[in-house]
Amino acid sequence: SESRAVAAWPHCCPPQRIAARRNEGSAALMLHFQPELIDLLPAAVAFTIVGLTMLCCGRTAPKPQKHYDDKVEDLIASGSIKGFASVAKATTGNQFAYHKAKGAKRTGGRVDLSAFNNVVHIDDEARLVQVEGLATMETVVRALDWRGYRIPIVPELKHITVGGAIAGIGIESGSFRYGWFHQAMVECDLLTPGGEILRCSASNEHADVFHALPNSYGTLGYVLRATLRLVASRPYVAVTTTIHKSFKEAMTAMEQAEATSEFVEGLWWAPDKVSVTLTNYVDEVPKGKKLKRFDGLSIYYKAVGKPGTMYMTSPNYYFRWDADWFWNIPTDAGGWLVRLVTPRKLRTSSTYKWLRSLRLVKAWHRLETLWKPQGQPFVQDWAVPWSRADEFVREATKTRPHRKGVPYMLLPVGTSSNKATHYPCEREGRYLNLGTYTEIDVPFDEALAETRRIDDLCVRRHAGIKMLYSSSFLDLQTYTRVYGTLAPATKKKVDPAGTRPSVFEKTAHPSILGCEELVLGY
């Protein structure tokens, strides 16, 4: 656990302490080591599974990629787009339902969209890219970076998909200038629940669907291809962190940096410690400076908890949070084993989420409750108008339930060009997004109460809005007031048979929908 700090492992038994322990007998020495040895077990078991899987599967030659139009023809010919209820894909999902109803099962047919995972075309003159909906951010960056481009917002986790970032809500440290991920979308092809493929843009007959797609979470269908705007990039970045004595002071630093910085983000550590990290492109790394990367033993959030400047390649910067899943890989013995033995290719948040889904790992986490509290999910993003940010952050963080040394994320978001029908951010041109991506060591009821408390602070008191990729505790009346409801004509256009739930039904915590028997949802 985080309460066992990283320093406890390498220095827990200096020579003099070992000598003392020997005098107490070997049994006592083993008991002294036991908590650290226990921490090693889940990591060792999990990565044994990964290693055996890689060994058994071996390397296979990549399949030749078909053109997008051919994939669409194959999809239509398969007949699976009629009456499908869910999607098969090669990546893990990035929704974090705290809990699900006990015994809930997926029903209905599935349509396989895993082939829609490529960059289709890059238009240098128009600065546009056509990319398929199941393409990951890693794939997009690989296709664009060497040509000197990036999409305006690159979500920091490698295996978030383009379609997922559109239908969900994506932000990143470039959001102060470019807003939410969907604000870069020019056009998309959407596979609807009714089995139609609609080409949607802000200016054609499907403009209502285009504007309703952000924050729809699959209820309107799935993106097969999207056209996104491009912005210029450069090979390297300089990452500079300063430390501030209050959030209000940090807000001022962020405001002043917006005119001169390419990326702006902050971390709230304590009321008297807030770090602000400003990042800019550079063409070369100064002589004598080494490029930093954070998919080995170095940890990004600890590096930016101290003042200074470091240099990274641009792709490594874009995915700086992925290797430790923000701060979810612990700094105990098991966490360091993960960092030491895991191949760089597997140091991704999707690997960790897959491991968490294994029954063996879930069983281990239940067993862990015999000697330590079970971690309860605390994964959320809340956004409030900039003028309300200081008061909101002060109130939201006052209970400080985070594990020791774990921060909150702070991102300024420019919202003036946001036209999403069901993710309105119209009160001001800049919002502050507060993010928490961790577990907290409190009882179940207290964990849910903490999320409810901040939901209320954000939405009811400070006229804000929250992302719905994680469990929402808003009642239907409050949800409708904040996000609105889908127009009946739009619903009929994409889902004439009414097979899809509403976004409220899909994202509300089961307790809000009247369910009493719950199991962990991720």
Side-chain angles (χ1 to χ4, degrees):
S1 69
E2 286 284 353
S3 60
R4 253 183 245 118
V6 60
W9 175 247
H11 305 297
C12 64
C13 292
Q16 61 269 31
R17 192 180 302 179
I18 290 178
R21 291 285 176 183
R22 281 178 182 151
N23 294 334
E24 297 171 18
S26 59
L29 181 60
M30 185 63 193
L31 287 174
H32 175 72
F33 272 108
Q34 188 177 12
E36 279 71 31
L37 292 175
I38 286 172
D39 278 335
L40 287 171
L41 289 177
V45 171
F47 283 90
T48 298
I49 294 171
V50 171
L52 289 174
T53 301
M54 294 175 69
L55 183 64
C56 294
C57 294
R59 289 180 176 270
T60 57
K63 295 180 180 179
Q65 284 287 346
K66 291 185 176 180
H67 189 271
Y68 170 75
D69 293 336
D70 295 328
K71 296 177 188 179
V72 172
E73 288 182 9
D74 291 346
L75 181 65
I76 295 171
S78 72
S80 60
I81 63 175
K82 296 293 184 182
F84 71 93
S86 60
V87 167
K89 58 180 185 175
T91 56
T92 57
N94 281 283
Q95 284 188 263
F96 288 86
Y98 283 12
H99 306 92
K100 58 185 178 182
K102 187 175 182 179
K105 295 181 179 179
R106 181 186 287 117
T107 59
R110 305 188 81 187
V111 58
D112 187 355
L113 299 183
S114 59
F116 290 84
N117 61 359
N118 259 342
V119 173
V120 179
H121 177 66
I122 300 169
D123 186 333
D124 292 289
E125 186 175 345
R127 282 205 175 184
L128 298 173
V129 60
Q130 292 183 9
V131 59
E132 292 168 344
L134 272 295
T136 64
M137 295 302 143
E138 184 178 32
T139 297
V140 175
V141 167
R142 188 182 298 122
L144 295 177
D145 183 66
W146 69 275
R147 300 176 69 130
Y149 297 126
R150 78 169 201 270
I151 49 179
I153 301 301
V154 184
E156 303 100 326
L157 305 184
K158 289 181 179 179
H159 293 162
I160 289 176
T161 63
V162 168
I166 292 170
I169 299 294
I171 56 172
E172 196 264 331
S173 55
S175 287
F176 74 94
R177 179 172 291 127
Y178 297 109
W180 312 104
F181 182 91
H182 61 262
Q183 291 175 222
M185 182 172 62
V186 175
E187 182 182 85
C188 72
D189 292 350
L190 184 72
L191 173 62
T192 71
E196 303 293 329
I197 298 176
L198 304 181
R199 181 155 296 173
C200 307
S201 75
S203 58
N204 70 5
E205 69 272 25
H206 303 308
D208 57 332
V209 180
F210 180 86
H211 290 305
L213 188 57
N215 203 44
S216 63
Y217 292 94
T219 59
L220 301 185
Y222 297 91
V223 173
L224 298 182
R225 177 177 64 177
T227 301
L228 306 173
R229 296 182 183 90
L230 296 175
V231 297
S233 71
R234 289 156 74 184
Y236 307 105
V237 292
V239 183
T240 300
T241 299
T242 55
I243 306 298
H244 303 271
K245 295 181 179 179
S246 69
F247 173 66
K248 196 155 192 175
E249 183 181 306
M251 285 181 69
T252 300
M254 290 181 184
E255 290 170 357
Q256 293 173 345
E258 288 186 357
T260 57
S261 297
E262 191 70 29
F263 304 97
V264 177
E265 68 183 355
L267 296 175
W268 187 98
W269 302 86
D272 59 351
K273 181 185 177 182
V274 182
S275 58
V276 173
T277 301
L278 309 178
T279 302
N280 281 294
Y281 286 123
V282 294
D283 289 318
E284 296 180 351
V285 176
K287 190 174 182 179
K289 297 289 185 180
K290 292 184 178 180
L291 288 170
K292 294 284 289 183
R293 58 187 301 165
F294 294 93
D295 51 3
L297 294 179
S298 298
I299 301 173
Y300 182 77
Y301 79 91
K302 291 185 176 294
V304 293
K306 299 176 290 186
T309 298
M310 59 185 172
Y311 295 85
M312 303 173 67
T313 67
S314 295
N316 282 341
Y317 172 77
Y318 301 148
F319 301 124
R320 62 203 177 279
W321 295 111
D322 196 49
D324 281 287
W325 201 359
F326 292 99
W327 31 77
N328 280 291
I329 305 305
T331 53
D332 59 16
W336 287 109
L337 179 64
V338 168
R339 294 181 181 92
L340 184 65
V341 305
T342 310
R344 291 187 192 275
K345 187 175 181 180
L346 294 179
R347 283 291 304 278
T348 67
S349 56
S350 57
T351 296
Y352 309 137
K353 191 172 183 186
W354 174 76
L355 287 172
R356 284 185 62 101
S357 72
L358 298 178
R359 291 184 178 182
L360 179 63
V361 176
K362 286 183 176 181
W364 176 260
H365 286 313
R366 288 193 293 271
L367 184 62
E368 280 184 313
T369 60
L370 294 176
W371 63 84
K372 68 179 183 180
Q374 180 178 6
Q376 297 295 335
F378 192 47
V379 181
Q380 297 285 341
D381 276 279
W382 301 276
V384 298
W386 191 256
S387 63
R388 308 280 191 101
D390 184 44
E391 184 179 356
F392 170 67
V393 170
R394 186 167 59 250
E395 293 172 334
T397 57
K398 68 180 181 182
T399 55
R400 298 179 64 184
H402 273 189
R403 290 168 174 168
K404 184 179 179 181
V406 173
Y408 290 83
M409 177 74 77
L410 304 167
L411 285 174
V413 184
T415 60
S416 58
S417 63
N418 175 49
K419 307 298 181 185
T421 312
H422 301 295
Y423 205 76
C425 306
E426 302 167 341
R427 293 180 178 272
E428 295 179 14
R430 184 197 293 121
Y431 275 53
L432 184 282
N433 190 91
L434 177 71
T436 173
Y437 319 117
T438 188
E439 290 183 338
I440 50 178
D441 297 322
V442 299
F444 172 83
D445 290 342
E446 290 183 28
L448 297 194
E450 182 65 9
T451 298
R452 285 177 182 269
R453 181 183 75 84
I454 304 179
D455 279 0
D456 287 346
L457 274 176
C458 172
V459 171
R460 293 191 174 93
R461 183 164 180 176
H462 293 290
I465 197 165
K466 65 172 285 184
M467 294 189 199
L468 301 176
Y469 68 88
S470 188
S471 290
S472 169
F473 293 87
L474 304 178
D475 58 63
L476 178 58
Q477 182 179 4
T478 304
Y479 172 90
T480 303
R481 176 177 60 80
V482 174
Y483 301 95
T485 56
L486 185 65
T490 306
K491 173 71 171 176
K492 186 175 181 180
K493 182 187 293 187
V494 299
D495 187 17
T499 60
R500 287 296 188 275
S502 67
V503 176
F504 172 77
E505 292 167 332
K506 186 166 183 177
T507 60
H509 189 269
S511 64
I512 299 295
L513 302 176
C515 178
E516 296 181 356
E517 290 192 84
L518 307 175
V519 294
L520 196 63
Y522 71 95

